[in-house]
Amino acid sequence: MREFWVASGHHLTRRADHGGLVATPELIMAYLARPELMPPADACEAERNLHASLLADPLRPVAKADIAALADADARENWTFMINFRDRLAAAPSLEAVYTNLARSGGSDLPPIFLSQLCHLILRNALEGCDDPYTLRAAELFYRSQQATVHEGALLLADAEVIEAQQHAQHDAHSSPLTAMLQPKPFGEMDVMDDDNAWTYWSRSDAHAMVMNIGGNPKARAGLCRVIERWIAHLMGVSVKVETVASIEDRDWRWYIGMDSEGTRIGNALWSGAALDGNAVEGIVALMRLEIEDTRLVDERVGNKPIYLILAVGADKVVRLKPQNLVAGLPLATPANVA
């Protein structure tokens, strides 16, 4: 079986009989190695001792007094978040359960990076055995922001962090504006995924160095649909069918999920009957229709109508998909109403 996303740390977890991932001491140790938690050279003795003791026993109890004893305020904040997160992982039956609870509660008491890293791990589990590079590339949108550009009439998405690193490198090398303007590729030396090079994704999945042609390649759009289906089935046990659509033709549409802040804003405007300006329409990255296969599971307010998904690009030309919205926003009937 082909490996991918080693950086997710899935090999540091344990897959339980129920199919979900369970945190291990090795996973916690990986978090302890993050720069935010590594004691700097001028760290106080209490911080160094706390870090060393957790390296020796990653699941050992940590009292509030242990954190309060740290001299640096930033260190106290970082360790408060980390221990809170660690304790949630250790107490839950699975990482999936932690993520679902955070998504439904808003997850406002933890930094977004924790939610993103959990998403990365869970997606790796959900996509185990996937042999379609287009689906795996589309899945990167769930945990990595994407820079958008239009090239030869097609909307392309590239990893925003990689693009930023390229721009810094060009600046440091004093590249001339003329050189950048004459660059033959839309995103520097990054390859746009197509049928000729898709096979190379396996060897560089952790590099995030392939461009997604979401506007011009139907396989890229289909890949995004397949990811959403797998995500919902894995986290919520609900089978859904997702497909891209050109527009919302149904005058009696009942439900939508904004898959990012801009998509939510557009959905709210459509819901209230407001006319969209040209910029808003052009900002829609993907419009999709989702149908829950077992209609008994659908909230009665929706009935047999489809759910529309709206993904859009922000004013800064960055796409920031929020996969937690698919968990919190799916209109499911309460168990008491399921026949």
Side-chain angles (χ1 to χ4, degrees):
M1 186 174 295
R2 289 174 171 176
E3 182 59 280
F4 63 97
W5 297 357
V6 176
S8 68
H10 73 98
H11 56 290
L12 302 176
T13 63
R14 177 175 61 84
R15 182 179 286 109
D17 293 340
H18 51 60
L21 297 180
V22 177
T24 64
E26 290 76 17
L27 179 66
I28 304 304
M29 288 184 71
Y31 278 103
L32 295 173
R34 290 187 59 84
E36 299 90 340
L37 295 176
M38 289 293 292
D42 60 349
C44 67
E45 183 177 1
E47 184 177 353
R48 292 195 299 272
N49 289 341
L50 175 61
H51 190 262
S53 68
L54 284 166
L55 286 179
D57 182 5
L59 297 179
R60 85 159 181 86
V62 175
K64 291 183 179 180
D66 295 331
I67 298 176
L70 305 183
D72 184 73
D74 288 339
R76 291 195 298 272
E77 181 180 50
N78 289 340
W79 279 105
T80 297
F81 283 135
M82 177 59 206
I83 297 304
N84 180 16
F85 183 60
R86 182 204 67 169
D87 291 348
R88 288 188 185 193
L89 297 185
S94 68
L95 303 187
E96 285 84 350
V98 174
Y99 186 93
T100 301
N101 289 335
L102 286 171
R104 288 173 172 162
S105 66
S108 57
D109 61 336
L110 283 175
I113 189 172
F114 285 120
L115 206 60
S116 177
Q117 289 169 347
L118 267 182
C119 174
H120 193 186
L121 271 167
I122 294 167
L123 259 182
R124 176 60 184 79
N125 190 26
L127 293 169
E128 177 73 14
C130 177
D131 59 1
D132 177 30
Y134 289 99
T135 297
L136 298 180
R137 176 59 183 89
E140 293 183 25
L141 273 68
F142 278 53
Y143 62 93
R144 306 235 353 151
S145 298
Q146 304 289 311
Q147 185 74 47
T149 193
V150 176
H151 180 68
E152 296 181 353
L155 178 63
L156 305 181
L157 301 180
D159 190 274
E161 188 175 317
V162 172
I163 294 300
E164 183 179 6
Q166 283 188 357
Q167 291 172 343
H168 282 310
Q170 290 175 356
H171 181 268
D172 293 343
H174 304 289
S175 297
S176 72
L178 179 61
T179 300
M181 193 166 58
L182 295 178
Q183 178 62 255
K185 292 185 177 181
F187 286 116
E189 293 304 313
M190 299 176 71
D191 292 327
V192 179
M193 181 179 281
D194 58 27
D195 288 349
D196 291 331
N197 62 25
W199 65 273
T200 67
Y201 181 84
W202 303 104
S203 63
R204 48 175 167 166
S205 66
D206 286 312
H208 309 293
M210 298 196 82
V211 179
M212 182 179 179
N213 185 2
I214 194 168
N217 191 332
K219 291 184 178 180
R221 296 191 294 276
L224 180 58
C225 294
R226 302 294 83 76
V227 175
I228 295 170
E229 292 169 354
R230 296 275 287 257
W231 179 248
I232 292 174
H234 183 76
L235 277 176
M236 307 176 74
V238 177
S239 295
V240 301
K241 178 65 178 176
V242 181
E243 62 180 350
T244 55
V245 293
S247 61
I248 300 175
E249 301 293 343
D250 189 352
R251 294 180 178 273
D252 186 32
W253 60 296
R254 307 282 182 85
W255 202 272
Y256 76 92
I257 299 173
M259 296 181 66
D260 65 288
S261 299
E262 183 62 13
T264 299
R265 186 189 72 80
I266 291 172
N268 288 341
L270 289 172
W271 188 262
S272 64
L276 295 180
D277 59 34
N279 290 335
V281 173
E282 291 178 0
I284 296 177
V285 173
L287 179 63
M288 292 163 282
R289 180 172 60 206
L290 180 152
E291 294 181 352
I292 298 175
E293 293 186 0
D294 187 347
T295 56
R296 297 174 303 168
L297 302 178
V298 184
D299 188 291
E300 62 183 8
R301 292 171 294 174
V302 178
N304 62 354
K305 294 290 186 178
I307 298 111
Y308 290 95
L309 311 178
I310 306 171
L311 177 64
V313 62
D316 57 357
K317 302 302 181 184
V318 175
V319 178
R320 299 178 177 87
L321 192 153
K322 297 181 177 181
Q324 62 267 32
N325 290 5
L326 291 167
V327 177
L330 199 66
L332 297 178
T334 60
N337 293 332
V338 177

